[in-house]
Amino acid sequence: MTFQTLNLLDGIQRAIADIDYTIPTPIQEEAIPLLLEGRDLCGSAQTGTGKTAAFAIPILQTIALHRDPKKRFPTIQALVLAPTRELAMQIYENFVLYGKYLPLKVAVIFGGVPQRPQVSSLQEGVDILIATPGRLLDLYNQRFVKLQDVKHFVLDEADRMLDMGFIYDVKKIISYLPEKRQTMLFSATISDEIASLIRSILHDPVRIAITPVEEPIEAIEQALYYVEKKEKIALLKDLLQDSSIKSALVFTRTKHGANRVATDLNFAGIRTEAIHGNKSQSARERALALFKAQKIRILVATDIAARGLDISNLSLVVNYDLSDVPETYIHRIGRTGRAGQSGKAISFCSQEERDQLKGIQKHIKMEIPVQIHPKHPVTFQPVMMNAPVIPTTSIFSKSRPRGRRPGAYRGHR
Ligand code: AMP
């Protein structure tokens, strides 16, 4: 299937062609025709599956087709709620991209920044509004936002809305929407609470479940460096000497760690920015924009800050610290080597992180190839995946066969 077979407006086709999308992703192929028919949709799909275009394209098309040319002042026809400012921005950018040849106004509002410019854009008239729940309620209560004409409502990343404690705000916003509308809900996971939300706000929805288009892990060139904790920064600097690394996303476990790595790299002349929860909204946006425009080579991030962000074209992901959650390893390294590009993922493992490494290797069912850097030797024992786990008591217990040293057990299969 191609985008031509989806019967899209000429303006949308051209916009899509401009950005070189040729084939719809599976969620787009399934969702776009059904959404154009006006059906409600419940999608269990994550960022990375192309879900934004899957809902943005039909919304743009339906509004453009039913637009009353005599109406001079647009009113909000579509409302998209997203849990974070970054995601709201990304969705907004997508709408602008696909709708660039259509006479529709798109606006985005989120907290953490002054409300004045957002109010001005609302006062100019908006067809499609992307918002985070808190700021939307604020502006609604100040009567800057009117929701009585909303015909399409999208609740994106509903599970995260719940995790972040926005559910009360979301339910309140939904109570302000017209009953007769099209509703689309996306959630990576469907918990009991989400299932009950689905039952209460969706009408006879189509259900689409898409697993993320993660590159198979085999397609990513992985490497592991054992390294003393205090040597990590020196090793990172040495590895980044390689000028073929055009951009790298470096994951740290803590916000403090992210700041420290960024400061150290900047000090060494490697332009770096850090993003994490303690950074102001404008600082995060600036960092991400600089990184996307390849004006800085290195972005250091915590998992929370990087989650949900569309950071593509990465030549390298560095696990500066290993996560305690094995699945996180796959999420992190999946950000490199997307869309057929070659990708590389380097992980650092200190003596203190050997348990995390064991967990990761068990999860990915493979041993990450070890690399040794001549300038950074280590003295501790590597993790041996297939080494038998011998309870310490049996090694040191009196019943241990005479003459056998503990080390002699190593390597038994
Ligand atoms: P999303 O899941 O909406 O965050 O999209 C993930 C990435 O896929 C974004 O960078 C989109 O620009 C890109 N994308 C979405 N649809 C397509 C498509 N049909 N062909 C190529 N890239 C796409």
Side-chain angles (χ1 to χ4, degrees):
M1 188 187 240
T2 64
F3 276 105
Q4 264 91 18
T5 45
L6 286 172
N7 279 329
L8 299 176
L9 288 173
D10 206 44
I12 298 180
Q13 299 267 25
R14 274 199 293 145
I16 289 172
D18 284 355
I19 45 174
D20 289 333
Y21 291 3
T22 44
I23 303 164
T25 66
I27 192 165
Q28 291 161 3
E29 193 175 318
E30 274 196 71
I32 292 175
L34 294 161
L35 291 176
L36 286 172
E37 281 172 22
R39 294 287 303 267
D40 278 7
L41 177 94
C42 161
S44 49
Q46 294 174 0
T47 298
T49 53
K51 73 170 159 140
T52 317
F55 65 76
I57 290 172
I59 288 177
L60 285 162
Q61 167 133 335
T62 312
I63 300 180
L65 275 175
H66 297 108
R67 199 161 179 270
D68 179 358
K70 281 186 272 165
K71 198 167 150 189
R72 294 210 351 253
F73 194 77
T75 52
I76 301 167
Q77 310 282 304
L79 172 69
V80 182
L81 283 187
T84 64
R85 305 140 179 190
E86 284 84 0
L87 193 63
M89 257 326 267
Q90 247 164 245
I91 296 171
Y92 167 77
E93 284 163 6
N94 274 254
F95 269 98
V96 171
L97 209 58
Y98 312 134
K100 69 177 182 179
Y101 298 117
L102 304 177
L104 300 178
K105 287 262 190 102
V106 189
V108 60
I109 58 174
F110 43 76
V113 292
Q115 72 169 42
R116 180 144 288 287
Q118 298 179 353
V119 170
S120 305
S121 70
L122 287 168
Q123 284 170 334
E124 283 165 22
V126 168
D127 296 280
I128 296 163
L129 181 66
I130 328 298
T132 53
R135 179 54 61 95
L136 178 68
L137 273 184
D138 254 10
L139 296 183
Y140 180 87
N141 290 331
Q142 298 174 59
R143 300 185 194 283
F144 290 121
V145 175
K146 305 244 170 352
L147 298 174
Q148 75 269 19
D149 288 336
V150 170
K151 294 179 183 63
H152 312 273
F153 169 59
V154 181
L155 184 59
D156 200 9
E157 304 218 349
D159 46 354
R160 270 176 93 193
M161 292 273 193
L162 235 81
D163 290 350
M164 294 170 77
F166 289 150
I167 196 65
Y168 178 73
D169 286 354
V170 168
K171 284 187 173 161
K172 202 159 190 180
I173 292 164
I174 293 171
S175 75
Y176 300 145
L177 300 177
E179 280 276 315
K180 195 167 166 325
R181 57 164 200 261
Q182 179 182 40
T183 306
M184 294 148 252
L185 178 146
F186 294 89
S187 190
T189 53
I190 310 280
S191 62
D192 288 350
E193 210 169 350
I194 299 281
S196 112
L197 188 68
I198 290 169
R199 279 193 299 277
S200 66
I201 68 166
L202 295 175
H203 172 70
D204 184 24
V206 194
R207 288 167 194 268
I208 298 180
I210 303 282
T211 42
V213 277
E214 260 168 15
E215 286 292 315
I217 195 160
E218 297 78 24
I220 299 166
E221 194 186 327
Q222 302 172 68
L224 175 76
Y225 286 87
Y226 287 105
V227 57
E228 308 290 347
K229 199 170 160 190
K230 60 178 186 343
E231 281 287 302
K232 280 186 176 182
I233 192 72
L235 174 60
L236 182 62
K237 282 184 210 161
D238 282 338
L239 293 173
L240 293 177
Q241 296 298 325
D242 179 351
S243 61
S244 72
I245 300 169
K246 298 282 175 261
S247 64
L249 179 61
V250 177
F251 283 100
T252 58
R253 215 161 50 80
T254 64
K255 301 170 198 172
H256 178 63
N259 278 340
R260 218 180 33 229
V261 171
T263 309
D264 283 358
L265 292 183
N266 277 316
F267 200 70
I270 303 168
R271 280 207 67 197
T272 306
E273 293 278 347
I275 53 167
H276 53 68
N278 283 1
K279 289 259 173 176
S280 74
Q281 173 58 15
S282 55
R284 279 204 259 175
E285 265 173 31
R286 197 182 47 117
L288 192 62
L290 286 172
F291 187 64
K292 280 189 169 180
Q294 304 206 332
K295 296 221 165 77
I296 53 168
R297 245 174 105 210
I298 315 296
L299 187 66
V300 190
T302 55
D303 288 303
I304 304 272
R307 201 180 147 185
L309 288 181
D310 174 28
I311 308 173
S312 47
N313 291 325
L314 283 174
S315 47
L316 176 67
V317 164
V318 179
N319 288 305
Y320 189 84
D321 299 313
L322 293 180
S323 164
D324 295 334
V325 185
E327 291 81 4
T328 303
Y329 178 79
I330 296 183
H331 293 151
R332 286 178 176 183
I333 75 166
R335 290 171 178 278
T336 183
R338 279 197 181 169
Q341 299 167 26
S342 64
K344 203 167 171 183
I346 290 176
S347 301
F348 291 176
C349 177
S350 68
Q351 181 156 14
E352 297 76 12
E353 291 172 307
R354 288 184 306 170
D355 282 344
Q356 281 92 322
L357 178 63
K358 276 184 208 159
I360 289 166
Q361 298 198 138
K362 200 166 152 219
H363 182 68
I364 62 174
K365 299 188 185 69
M366 66 176 281
E367 237 162 310
I368 307 169
V370 175
Q371 300 236 344
I372 293 164
H373 197 288
K375 272 172 71 184
H376 306 281
V378 287
T379 49
F380 59 89
Q381 280 286 338
V383 167
M384 285 197 285
M385 202 177 173
N386 294 319
V389 181
I390 302 164
T392 31
T393 46
S394 78
I395 292 176
F396 295 107
S397 71
K398 291 202 177 74
S399 63
R400 175 164 56 88
R402 280 176 146 254
R404 266 201 175 177
R405 289 169 295 107
Y409 284 85
R410 248 186 241 127
H412 276 218
R413 297 278 143 114

